[in-house]
Amino acid sequence: MPTVSMTVNGESVSSEVEPRTLLVQYLRENLGLTGTHVGCDTSQCGACVVHVNGKSAKSCTMLAVQAEGSEVSTIEGLADGDTLHPMQEAFRENHGLQCGFCTPGMVMSAIDLVQTNSDPSEHDVREWLEGNLCRCTGYHNIVKSILAGAKAMQG
Amino acid sequence: MTETNIGAPIKRVEDKRFLTGRGRYTDDLNQPNQLYACILRSPHAHANLKKVDVSQAKAAPGVIDIFTGSDMAADEVGSLPCGWQIHSKDGSPMHEPGHPPMAVTKVRHVGDQVAIVIAETKSQARDALDIIEVDYEVLPAAINMDEALSGKALVHDDVPNNMCFDWEIGDKEATENSFSDAHKVVSIELVNNRLIPNAMEPRAAVAQYDPSNGNYTLHTTTQNPHVIRLLMGAFVLQIPEHKLRIISHDVGGGFGSKIFHYAEEAILTWASAKVSQPIKWTAERSESFVTDAHGRDHETKAELALDKDGKFLGLRVSTKANIGAYLSTFGSSVPTYLYGTLLAGVYKTPAIYCEVKTVFTNTVPVDAYRGAGRPECTYLLERLVNKAAKETGIDPVEIRRINMIQPDQFPYQTPVALQYDVGDYPRAFETALKASDYEGFSSRRKSSEDNGKKRGIGISTYIEACGIAPSAVAGALGARAGLYESAQVRVHPTGSVTLYTGTHNHGQGHETTFAQIVSDTLGVSIDQVEVSHGDTGEVQFGMGTYGSRSLAVGGPAVLKACNKIIEKSKKIAAHILEASVDDIDFKDGVYSISGTDRELAFGEVSLAAYVPHNYPIEELEPGLDENAFYDPLNFSFPAGCHICEVEIDPETGEVEITDFTAVDDIGRVINPMIVEGQVQGGLAQGIGQALMEGCVYDNEGQLLTGSYMDYTMPRADNLPNLNVSTESVLGASNPLEVKGVGEVGSIGAPPAVINAILDALSSLGVEDISMPASPSKVWQAIHNAQ
């Protein structure tokens, strides 16, 4: 079995994996980082979004070995101790989550949006979320959260 | 009012774990020595199982064992039960054919379970699936309802014409008479499209058997762990309750689809004893599509009789309801008592008759999905009312006004069994008209027309019965369970509180809402309250969460248990303060003697209960831990008005929802932030049904919409901001005065959207459109009309 090495949430990790292991499986099953979720098998739902080298990526659509040498960050790595990342805090403040299953992917995706476009409009947010499904919220409060989170990230 | 009291929009206490990736969903859990299971599923809609040969697969790398339906049958494993018995018009009970957890002689839908492979890794289990050899004798399949009713292909050999039951409600004769007296009869034919619930978390289970004591533990993605324990323990696996623990911590959405006792739960639990190791199974999304119970799927003909002034005289409804290949847990109650009983809506229709033929087909079982029966009812009623408005020339607003039940008519006995307790339908209606600027619509229409677009506005009113249910009433109607709820309030020695509720939180925010009730009632701050749910080992009993029942039935149980705490605490306080119990006041967490400055804090009394040195020990037991069961007196009846405005591009058929206004009467609001979120989420699913979602089978029973590539659900850019507000009349049937909110959006939205589309296209001659009103369908309707 090949060995894969990467940095996850700032820590170096290295493991032997079956070549067919997906990045999301590696994070969840090898590293125990179960905050990243699997909601579908066709790369449609976005519950598995993480950052690879600072950009959002669907971790169900990458093999673990493709992330060799990469910097990966997941929802678990966002908060600073007890202090939530401004985007996490915005979701809490604006009731941007219900069952919580899509939330990690939404938050990771939203942070990448703000890194790409620091002052997104509501339309920008809705368009950006085309790769993330939520079945609970009707997106109303997710959009509100991301707009608030974008402001907070600039502040 | 403190910030944690009832009515305050406090932030959710459960959010932090979800936002930091520390939720405890079933697939997140692992047990020592855990094995992995994959399930072989039928690729055919209908076939005899001639032979299942697992010998080669058993020898595959990592495979521990493989079991089939025959193995379960040899252990006398029971059939998955149905929780609601319906009787046909002629008094005969519904047909209840067996539902083995794994197929024994025959598979009846694509996705039906054939074998379970248990291996050391998930990949090994999955690889081994491919080398199981199954000899299927493919049979003709019954897919659509008319075909099934012809009886050419029988899903179950002992069910003639595939008819599960032929049910009726209402006074047939009175209804016939109302039609003979009618000035005008308006009729409509509708399909309520079949939906796939698609909670974002796929179902999963981890089963564990402890041979040292014979105990089973099943972690599963369920909305009602105690119901699963009862159904699986008593009916399927014959495991007594004290040996079976069901745990569902965090569940990633349910919308009804996780109410039911699913085959995989029984298969895994049974197999975990066979291999004496924990086993985990997690559905892939493609498995969810062909195994999670689907929703809706009605074909209906309805007629409305009106007098010369547009007043409704009678309503006659004939529905065919698809129930799928097997009776799911509550499949029989949805197209009957959750449907026909609501046909009065918010109107004074004096005579109603409804008949429902429920049909087995070679498709996934159909059961409750958000709204369950009530969206089907509301859709037909509100489409029919709009059609009546058009055919009589009365304005759609006016025809509703003149037929609406008035506030002074409560309690209102409908002709279809229910008695509405309280309400003010005109108030929500008029508020919605104002909030949507209904008056200003014509100028907005003109602007759209100037841009080459068609604009329409559509109204829907609705009523639903929630707070399911008074047990005696439900029992008389065929329910095989009581539908009360339980709560246990455990006050700890220093005055903090753990609340155990039999309801289940899978996104509804119970950990916050219920903590607010405790905080408000006992006067402790909300951070001193922990809410526990979802574990039969911790919670005494519960019927779970569905049918917008948690607050309406579970809430009063919490209140009742809190009041028992106060009653006992007052006695303790009276003893310590050397006063009579009658002189003790309790307010905001303080026990005091009225008219004096002598008082004790909640924590002081709690401590005294656990350190009973100065304590009325002859009269009272130590400790402060009370439980309560609450059985509701009546259903609760949320109602409201939804108004949708659309703009349609006639060149492409694309429908844009420009505005959506929902005004709902949901009784007392505990947390308005959570309430708004519930309505918004329901509206998204209702709009999804109207515009995008539709389950499609081909004639052989292959699911054509079996992935997120094919089954369209609303995404952020398909929806507008939603204008949501409440206009509540306090509930009259429970002490919290609440009604229920989880389903209102999915009930009210679909007819509002379709009425808006038909309004927009009316000038082009379009008279009907079916859901989902996709761009191609809208475009086609426009072109067909021209």
Side-chain angles (χ1 to χ4, degrees):
Chain A
M1 283 199 287
T3 300
V4 63
S5 304
M6 63 186 88
T7 306
V8 178
N9 298 332
E11 284 183 31
S12 297
V13 294
S14 186
S15 325
E16 280 193 350
V17 295
E18 270 195 86
R20 60 179 164 177
T21 305
L22 299 170
L23 178 59
V24 67
Q25 288 175 308
Y26 180 65
L27 294 170
R28 288 181 57 81
E29 290 161 25
N30 292 57
L31 305 182
L33 294 170
T34 55
T36 303
H37 297 148
V38 180
C40 73
D41 41 24
T42 51
S43 298
Q44 296 286 303
C45 79
C48 67
V49 171
V50 298
H51 291 178
V52 178
N53 297 325
K55 296 296 293 175
S56 59
K58 287 182 173 171
S59 59
C60 75
T61 311
M62 275 182 83
L63 296 168
V65 293
Q66 288 177 291
E68 172 68 31
S70 301
E71 301 259 349
V72 175
S73 45
T74 71
I75 191 77
E76 287 92 342
L78 280 186
D80 180 6
D82 259 357
T83 308
L84 295 177
H85 183 281
M87 190 59 77
Q88 289 172 310
E89 185 58 35
F91 270 70
R92 200 187 74 83
E93 274 292 318
N94 293 284
H95 190 26
L97 63 152
Q98 290 185 24
C99 82
F101 197 79
C102 75
T103 309
M106 287 285 179
V107 171
M108 298 308 284
S109 192
I111 291 170
D112 190 23
L113 164 65
V114 180
Q115 285 167 358
T116 313
N117 172 0
S118 60
D119 185 22
S121 66
E122 184 197 322
H123 179 77
D124 295 336
V125 173
R126 289 187 181 273
E127 293 275 313
W128 182 268
L129 292 181
E130 65 167 9
N132 293 76
L133 278 169
C134 168
R135 197 60 162 159
C136 292
T137 62
Y139 304 98
H140 183 106
N141 286 343
I142 290 179
V143 173
K144 200 167 145 193
S145 300
I146 295 174
L147 291 170
K151 278 210 171 65
M153 279 172 69
Q154 301 317 308
Chain B
M1 189 173 82
T2 68
E3 66 171 21
T4 57
N5 274 10
I6 287 173
I10 68 150
K11 307 305 174 202
R12 298 203 319 173
V13 299
E14 51 264 73
D15 282 357
K16 197 165 178 185
R17 69 175 184 274
F18 297 130
L19 282 164
T20 53
R22 289 177 176 79
R24 287 182 299 162
Y25 301 95
T26 302
D27 188 57
D28 299 342
L29 309 172
N30 292 297
Q31 305 294 340
N33 302 317
Q34 174 180 288
L35 302 170
Y36 293 82
C38 284
I39 292 173
L40 182 70
R41 301 185 178 282
S42 170
H44 303 292
H46 198 193
N48 284 324
L49 270 183
K50 304 278 280 184
K51 191 179 178 196
V52 184
D53 182 356
V54 300
S55 53
Q56 204 188 336
K58 264 192 183 175
V63 171
I64 302 295
D65 216 333
I66 299 176
F67 302 107
T68 66
S70 303
D71 297 317
M72 293 190 89
D75 272 7
E76 296 183 354
V77 168
S79 174
L80 301 177
C82 178
W84 204 297
Q85 187 181 46
I86 300 294
H87 285 80
S88 286
K89 289 172 186 170
D90 64 5
S92 60
M94 66 186 188
H95 287 283
E96 285 188 80
H99 185 182
M102 282 199 285
V104 183
T105 57
K106 205 178 175 189
V107 288
R108 294 185 171 85
H109 66 88
V110 170
D112 211 351
Q113 294 72 226
V114 173
I116 178 171
V117 177
I118 299 157
E120 287 169 6
T121 71
K122 191 169 180 178
S123 306
Q124 289 168 333
R126 203 164 194 280
D127 289 344
L129 284 187
D130 295 339
I131 45 177
I132 296 175
E133 288 182 21
V134 186
D135 184 4
Y136 294 101
E137 181 191 14
V138 178
L139 301 168
I143 305 302
N144 75 55
M145 287 192 274
D146 283 334
E147 195 179 76
L149 284 169
S150 77
K152 281 183 206 148
L154 289 183
V155 181
H156 300 275
D157 295 342
D158 51 351
V159 182
N161 298 321
N162 295 306
M163 181 129 75
C164 180
F165 57 80
D166 183 5
W167 176 85
E168 66 178 350
I169 191 167
D171 187 332
K172 190 174 185 180
E173 198 185 330
T175 308
E176 298 298 336
N177 292 340
S178 73
F179 278 81
S180 349
D181 300 340
H183 171 74
K184 170 108 194 144
V185 173
V186 179
S187 57
I188 200 163
E189 287 191 29
L190 296 167
V191 172
N192 203 287
N193 43 331
R194 184 177 176 121
L195 302 177
I196 304 179
N198 276 310
M200 292 312 302
E201 177 205 28
R203 286 190 298 113
V206 184
Q208 186 171 11
Y209 174 69
D210 184 344
S212 72
N213 53 22
N215 289 351
Y216 292 82
T217 304
L218 175 69
H219 287 85
T220 182
T221 47
T222 183
Q223 300 176 212
N224 33 228
H226 289 85
V227 174
I228 302 306
R229 186 180 66 170
L230 180 65
L231 294 175
M232 184 173 83
F235 296 98
V236 186
L237 298 179
Q238 288 83 46
I239 304 169
E241 280 101 328
H242 68 296
K243 292 288 180 190
L244 177 57
R245 181 176 177 186
I246 309 289
I247 304 172
S248 61
H249 289 306
D250 290 325
V251 172
F255 317 113
S257 71
K258 291 173 182 167
I259 298 171
F260 324 119
H261 174 34
Y262 283 101
E264 294 84 357
E265 293 168 329
I267 299 169
L268 252 77
T269 304
W270 170 81
S272 70
K274 289 280 177 197
V275 298
S276 283
Q277 274 179 263
I279 310 171
K280 181 182 199 171
W281 165 80
T282 305
E284 295 182 6
R285 178 57 60 184
S286 50
E287 278 183 285
S288 307
F289 270 99
V290 293
T291 62
D292 292 6
H294 295 178
R296 318 284 192 255
D297 206 349
H298 283 197
E299 292 173 15
T300 294
K301 288 181 187 172
E303 294 164 290
L304 183 66
L306 298 99
D307 73 7
K308 61 178 177 24
D309 302 320
K311 284 192 177 155
F312 305 160
L313 298 174
L315 174 67
R316 200 156 51 188
V317 177
S318 176
T319 293
K320 284 178 286 198
N322 194 338
I323 205 149
Y326 301 100
L327 271 169
S328 173
T329 309
F330 288 112
S332 52
S333 63
V334 176
T336 51
Y337 290 107
L338 295 176
Y339 170 68
T341 52
L342 276 304
L343 283 166
V346 297
Y347 306 116
K348 295 176 281 191
T349 316
I352 299 174
Y353 175 74
C354 169
E355 56 187 353
V356 180
K357 288 181 169 51
T358 301
V359 188
F360 286 113
T361 58
N362 291 112
T363 64
V364 173
V366 180
D367 205 323
Y369 165 60
R370 200 171 195 166
R374 293 152 291 178
E376 295 89 313
C377 167
T378 303
Y379 182 65
L380 93 81
L381 202 51
E382 291 297 311
R383 286 284 314 272
L384 189 54
V385 168
N386 253 41
K387 199 166 180 208
K390 194 164 186 192
E391 291 189 12
T392 56
I394 304 172
D395 185 84
V397 169
E398 205 47 40
I399 200 168
R400 287 179 168 90
R401 274 191 189 130
I402 60 180
N403 284 290
M404 213 169 261
I405 297 164
Q406 295 301 304
D408 61 1
Q409 290 183 290
F410 293 95
Y412 183 85
Q413 180 61 52
T414 75
V416 274
L418 294 177
Q419 189 182 68
Y420 301 160
D421 54 357
V422 68
D424 187 343
Y425 310 139
R427 194 167 110 198
F429 184 66
E430 301 299 335
T431 306
L433 290 172
K434 215 169 181 180
S436 64
D437 186 23
Y438 195 87
E439 289 285 311
F441 172 73
S442 51
S443 67
R444 296 192 294 278
R445 170 172 270 174
K446 188 170 180 311
S447 311
S448 295
E449 299 272 348
D450 291 347
N451 293 320
K453 303 280 180 66
K454 306 303 288 183
R455 198 176 187 96
I457 192 162
I459 302 174
S460 166
T461 66
Y462 72 89
I463 189 157
E464 58 164 328
C466 295
I468 297 171
S471 294
V473 175
L477 302 179
R480 287 165 165 159
L483 284 160
Y484 47 81
E485 199 43 77
S486 97
Q488 182 176 9
V489 173
R490 178 171 298 165
V491 180
H492 302 290
T494 59
S496 64
V497 180
T498 303
L499 164 69
Y500 300 88
T501 169
T503 66
H504 190 276
N505 180 20
H506 39 281
Q508 298 87 343
H510 296 170
E511 288 167 50
T512 308
T513 304
F514 284 12
Q516 283 179 265
I517 298 170
V518 172
S519 168
D520 192 90
T521 312
L522 297 183
V524 296
S525 67
I526 202 159
D527 62 0
Q528 295 297 302
V529 184
E530 184 81 8
V531 177
S532 174
H533 70 96
D535 184 347
T536 64
E538 288 190 0
V539 178
Q540 55 184 349
F541 202 74
M543 293 309 294
T545 286
Y546 41 84
S548 308
R549 70 187 300 276
S550 297
L551 194 57
V553 189
V558 174
L559 194 62
K560 209 170 157 185
C562 286
N563 286 333
K564 287 185 180 179
I565 293 285
I566 294 169
E567 200 182 325
K568 182 171 179 180
S569 299
K570 275 186 171 178
K571 290 179 186 166
I572 302 169
H575 178 88
I576 298 171
L577 295 172
E578 297 177 341
S580 155
V581 175
D582 296 340
D583 292 336
I584 301 290
D585 282 341
F586 178 69
K587 197 174 175 233
D588 296 335
V590 176
Y591 300 87
S592 61
I593 304 173
S594 36
T596 74
D597 59 358
R598 294 162 66 199
E599 60 180 41
L600 287 170
F602 185 77
E604 290 178 286
V605 176
S606 311
L607 191 64
Y610 288 94
V611 188
H613 294 168
N614 178 13
Y615 196 82
I617 202 75
E618 288 180 2
E619 184 197 342
L620 279 185
E621 296 170 17
L624 203 49
D625 192 343
E626 297 286 348
N627 64 49
F629 283 73
Y630 174 79
D631 201 294
L633 303 170
N634 191 358
F635 297 90
S636 59
F637 297 97
C641 177
H642 293 181
I643 299 180
C644 178
E645 201 164 316
V646 298
E647 193 177 67
I648 298 172
D649 184 341
E651 298 298 320
T652 63
E654 195 173 347
V655 177
E656 184 197 350
I657 295 183
T658 57
D659 300 276
F660 200 104
T661 303
V663 178
D664 299 294
D665 170 5
I666 57 158
R668 183 180 299 287
V669 172
I670 308 291
N671 184 322
M673 178 192 79
I674 289 175
V675 160
E676 284 181 16
Q678 288 293 304
V679 177
Q680 290 157 358
L683 290 176
Q685 289 181 352
I687 293 168
Q689 169 165 27
L691 292 184
M692 297 167 208
E693 299 184 37
C695 167
V696 182
Y697 278 99
D698 73 8
N699 291 335
E700 276 76 49
Q702 294 295 332
L703 181 63
L704 300 182
T705 49
S707 81
Y708 287 161
M709 312 275 279
D710 313 292
Y711 186 88
T712 317
M713 298 192 296
R715 291 180 185 267
D717 58 349
N718 301 126
L719 295 172
N721 274 316
L722 302 160
N723 179 8
V724 165
S725 62
T726 55
E727 192 64 52
S728 285
V729 176
L730 294 181
S733 296
N734 63 69
L736 267 181
E737 301 172 316
V738 298
K739 293 183 181 174
V741 68
E743 297 164 294
V744 300
S746 60
I747 294 171
V753 175
I754 298 297
N755 284 342
I757 292 173
L758 291 175
D759 182 50
L761 302 181
S762 169
S763 61
L764 299 176
V766 175
E767 292 186 346
D768 187 26
I769 196 146
S770 62
M771 300 191 291
S774 59
S776 66
K777 214 184 266 179
V778 171
W779 186 89
Q780 200 62 56
I782 293 169
H783 283 257
N784 289 348
Q786 284 170 355

mmCIF file of all heavy atoms in Angstrom, chain B residues 753-770:
data_model
loop_
_atom_site.group_PDB
_atom_site.id
_atom_site.type_symbol
_atom_site.label_atom_id
_atom_site.label_comp_id
_atom_site.label_asym_id
_atom_site.label_seq_id
_atom_site.Cartn_x
_atom_site.Cartn_y
_atom_site.Cartn_z
ATOM 1 N N VAL B 753 -47.603 28.133 -5.162
ATOM 2 C CA VAL B 753 -46.701 28.265 -6.309
ATOM 3 C C VAL B 753 -47.442 27.937 -7.604
ATOM 4 O O VAL B 753 -47.371 28.695 -8.589
ATOM 5 C CB VAL B 753 -45.475 27.327 -6.153
ATOM 6 C CG1 VAL B 753 -44.609 27.374 -7.406
ATOM 7 C CG2 VAL B 753 -44.653 27.705 -4.918
ATOM 8 N N ILE B 754 -48.159 26.833 -7.610
ATOM 9 C CA ILE B 754 -48.830 26.424 -8.856
ATOM 10 C C ILE B 754 -49.951 27.413 -9.206
ATOM 11 O O ILE B 754 -50.132 27.771 -10.375
ATOM 12 C CB ILE B 754 -49.349 24.973 -8.756
ATOM 13 C CG1 ILE B 754 -48.176 24.004 -8.553
ATOM 14 C CG2 ILE B 754 -50.159 24.596 -10.002
ATOM 15 C CD1 ILE B 754 -47.158 23.946 -9.682
ATOM 16 N N ASN B 755 -50.686 27.878 -8.205
ATOM 17 C CA ASN B 755 -51.718 28.889 -8.487
ATOM 18 C C ASN B 755 -51.099 30.151 -9.083
ATOM 19 O O ASN B 755 -51.691 30.792 -9.964
ATOM 20 C CB ASN B 755 -52.508 29.225 -7.214
ATOM 21 C CG ASN B 755 -53.506 28.117 -6.855
ATOM 22 O OD1 ASN B 755 -53.850 27.280 -7.691
ATOM 23 N ND2 ASN B 755 -53.964 28.100 -5.612
ATOM 24 N N ALA B 756 -49.899 30.486 -8.605
ATOM 25 C CA ALA B 756 -49.226 31.679 -9.151
ATOM 26 C C ALA B 756 -48.827 31.449 -10.602
ATOM 27 O O ALA B 756 -48.989 32.331 -11.455
ATOM 28 C CB ALA B 756 -47.999 32.014 -8.305
ATOM 29 N N ILE B 757 -48.318 30.254 -10.886
ATOM 30 C CA ILE B 757 -47.908 29.957 -12.273
ATOM 31 C C ILE B 757 -49.129 29.995 -13.202
ATOM 32 O O ILE B 757 -49.082 30.577 -14.288
ATOM 33 C CB ILE B 757 -47.204 28.583 -12.333
ATOM 34 C CG1 ILE B 757 -45.865 28.659 -11.587
ATOM 35 C CG2 ILE B 757 -46.997 28.124 -13.781
ATOM 36 C CD1 ILE B 757 -45.164 27.323 -11.429
ATOM 37 N N LEU B 758 -50.225 29.394 -12.748
ATOM 38 C CA LEU B 758 -51.431 29.377 -13.598
ATOM 39 C C LEU B 758 -51.989 30.788 -13.779
ATOM 40 O O LEU B 758 -52.512 31.122 -14.847
ATOM 41 C CB LEU B 758 -52.477 28.435 -13.010
ATOM 42 C CG LEU B 758 -52.095 26.949 -13.091
ATOM 43 C CD1 LEU B 758 -53.136 26.092 -12.382
ATOM 44 C CD2 LEU B 758 -51.949 26.493 -14.546
ATOM 45 N N ASP B 759 -51.841 31.604 -12.751
ATOM 46 C CA ASP B 759 -52.281 32.998 -12.870
ATOM 47 C C ASP B 759 -51.431 33.719 -13.914
ATOM 48 O O ASP B 759 -51.954 34.455 -14.764
ATOM 49 C CB ASP B 759 -52.170 33.684 -11.499
ATOM 50 C CG ASP B 759 -52.657 35.120 -11.534
ATOM 51 O OD1 ASP B 759 -53.774 35.347 -12.050
ATOM 52 O OD2 ASP B 759 -51.927 36.022 -11.049
ATOM 53 N N ALA B 760 -50.126 33.453 -13.863
ATOM 54 C CA ALA B 760 -49.227 34.117 -14.810
ATOM 55 C C ALA B 760 -49.529 33.702 -16.245
ATOM 56 O O ALA B 760 -49.435 34.516 -17.166
ATOM 57 C CB ALA B 760 -47.786 33.787 -14.460
ATOM 58 N N LEU B 761 -49.881 32.430 -16.419
ATOM 59 C CA LEU B 761 -50.040 31.908 -17.783
ATOM 60 C C LEU B 761 -51.486 31.926 -18.266
ATOM 61 O O LEU B 761 -51.778 31.494 -19.384
ATOM 62 C CB LEU B 761 -49.482 30.475 -17.856
ATOM 63 C CG LEU B 761 -48.003 30.328 -17.464
ATOM 64 C CD1 LEU B 761 -47.580 28.874 -17.614
ATOM 65 C CD2 LEU B 761 -47.103 31.236 -18.295
ATOM 66 N N SER B 762 -52.366 32.401 -17.407
ATOM 67 C CA SER B 762 -53.789 32.396 -17.729
ATOM 68 C C SER B 762 -54.074 33.139 -19.041
ATOM 69 O O SER B 762 -54.842 32.665 -19.892
ATOM 70 C CB SER B 762 -54.540 33.033 -16.554
ATOM 71 O OG SER B 762 -55.843 33.282 -16.910
ATOM 72 N N SER B 763 -53.406 34.277 -19.228
ATOM 73 C CA SER B 763 -53.672 35.064 -20.436
ATOM 74 C C SER B 763 -53.193 34.348 -21.693
ATOM 75 O O SER B 763 -53.584 34.695 -22.803
ATOM 76 C CB SER B 763 -52.996 36.437 -20.326
ATOM 77 O OG SER B 763 -51.600 36.261 -20.194
ATOM 78 N N LEU B 764 -52.334 33.347 -21.521
ATOM 79 C CA LEU B 764 -51.864 32.567 -22.672
ATOM 80 C C LEU B 764 -52.734 31.339 -22.911
ATOM 81 O O LEU B 764 -52.460 30.531 -23.791
ATOM 82 C CB LEU B 764 -50.412 32.124 -22.451
ATOM 83 C CG LEU B 764 -49.379 33.244 -22.288
ATOM 84 C CD1 LEU B 764 -47.998 32.664 -21.975
ATOM 85 C CD2 LEU B 764 -49.309 34.093 -23.552
ATOM 86 N N GLY B 765 -53.748 31.179 -22.060
ATOM 87 C CA GLY B 765 -54.670 30.058 -22.244
ATOM 88 C C GLY B 765 -54.259 28.780 -21.528
ATOM 89 O O GLY B 765 -54.872 27.728 -21.730
ATOM 90 N N VAL B 766 -53.246 28.842 -20.690
ATOM 91 C CA VAL B 766 -52.836 27.642 -19.943
ATOM 92 C C VAL B 766 -53.779 27.448 -18.762
ATOM 93 O O VAL B 766 -53.978 28.361 -17.962
ATOM 94 C CB VAL B 766 -51.377 27.776 -19.449
ATOM 95 C CG1 VAL B 766 -51.006 26.588 -18.577
ATOM 96 C CG2 VAL B 766 -50.436 27.901 -20.633
ATOM 97 N N GLU B 767 -54.379 26.264 -18.671
ATOM 98 C CA GLU B 767 -55.362 26.035 -17.600
ATOM 99 C C GLU B 767 -54.885 25.055 -16.555
ATOM 100 O O GLU B 767 -55.445 24.960 -15.470
ATOM 101 C CB GLU B 767 -56.670 25.543 -18.213
ATOM 102 C CG GLU B 767 -57.329 26.638 -19.021
ATOM 103 C CD GLU B 767 -58.683 26.269 -19.537
ATOM 104 O OE1 GLU B 767 -59.015 25.077 -19.496
ATOM 105 O OE2 GLU B 767 -59.399 27.180 -19.979
ATOM 106 N N ASP B 768 -53.869 24.283 -16.891
ATOM 107 C CA ASP B 768 -53.422 23.284 -15.926
ATOM 108 C C ASP B 768 -51.933 23.062 -16.105
ATOM 109 O O ASP B 768 -51.407 23.191 -17.215
ATOM 110 C CB ASP B 768 -54.178 21.965 -16.158
ATOM 111 C CG ASP B 768 -53.883 20.931 -15.073
ATOM 112 O OD1 ASP B 768 -53.536 21.341 -13.938
ATOM 113 O OD2 ASP B 768 -53.983 19.727 -15.364
ATOM 114 N N ILE B 769 -51.302 22.755 -15.005
ATOM 115 C CA ILE B 769 -49.902 22.335 -15.083
ATOM 116 C C ILE B 769 -49.656 21.414 -13.908
ATOM 117 O O ILE B 769 -50.227 21.600 -12.833
ATOM 118 C CB ILE B 769 -48.944 23.553 -15.086
ATOM 119 C CG1 ILE B 769 -47.554 23.119 -15.555
ATOM 120 C CG2 ILE B 769 -48.844 24.214 -13.721
ATOM 121 C CD1 ILE B 769 -46.852 24.189 -16.350
ATOM 122 N N SER B 770 -48.852 20.389 -14.116
ATOM 123 C CA SER B 770 -48.631 19.451 -13.019
ATOM 124 C C SER B 770 -47.276 19.722 -12.378
ATOM 125 O O SER B 770 -46.387 20.317 -12.979
ATOM 126 C CB SER B 770 -48.706 18.017 -13.550
ATOM 127 O OG SER B 770 -47.683 17.806 -14.498
#
